[in-house]
Amino acid sequence: NILVPLKDFDIDLAYEDVDGEIRHYDYRLGKAVGFGGGFMHSTGIGEADPEDVMLCVYLGSDDPTIWEYARQNIADELQHYMSPLKGFVRNEEFGD
């Protein structure tokens, strides 16, 4: 995953470090944060405006074993995605 804030805002990235401690990273406008599978994270607590924008890029794999795991992780976030098995598809698990 790659996250890039496209606007300066007051929300951080909360994550669990290798020692199991909860840490916080302050996003910086135009600076990307990248991480891979198994990285426990969430949006930190803060105030957001409807105009706050974060570009999120998901990098995947065409390995069916990895893809099934990745698909489960994006199920509630992406309405459409590029499946390595079926092409560009609508996510049936995403609500209307």
Side-chain angles (χ1 to χ4, degrees):
N1 295 342
I2 299 171
L3 305 175
V4 183
L6 300 180
K7 184 179 176 194
D8 195 20
F9 50 78
D10 186 32
I11 293 183
D12 62 24
L13 174 72
Y15 65 95
E16 184 177 309
D17 71 12
V18 295
D19 296 320
E21 299 291 323
I22 302 300
R23 306 279 185 196
H24 296 270
Y25 170 80
D26 292 325
Y27 291 114
R28 294 185 306 173
L29 178 62
K31 299 293 181 182
V33 175
F35 47 87
F39 181 70
M40 299 299 293
H41 67 284
S42 71
T43 301
I45 297 171
E47 295 289 326
D49 293 324
E51 297 83 23
D52 290 344
V53 178
M54 175 80 71
L55 174 65
C56 302
V57 178
Y58 295 92
L59 304 175
S61 171
D62 59 359
D63 179 324
T65 306
I66 294 172
W67 174 246
E68 187 55 33
Y69 175 75
R71 191 182 61 77
Q72 291 172 18
N73 286 314
I74 63 172
D76 64 345
E77 298 180 17
L78 302 175
Q79 190 168 15
H80 294 86
Y81 59 86
M82 179 63 76
S83 165
L85 307 173
K86 301 177 183 176
F88 192 70
V89 296
R90 182 179 188 285
N91 183 356
E92 297 300 327
E93 296 179 36
F94 193 89
D96 289 327

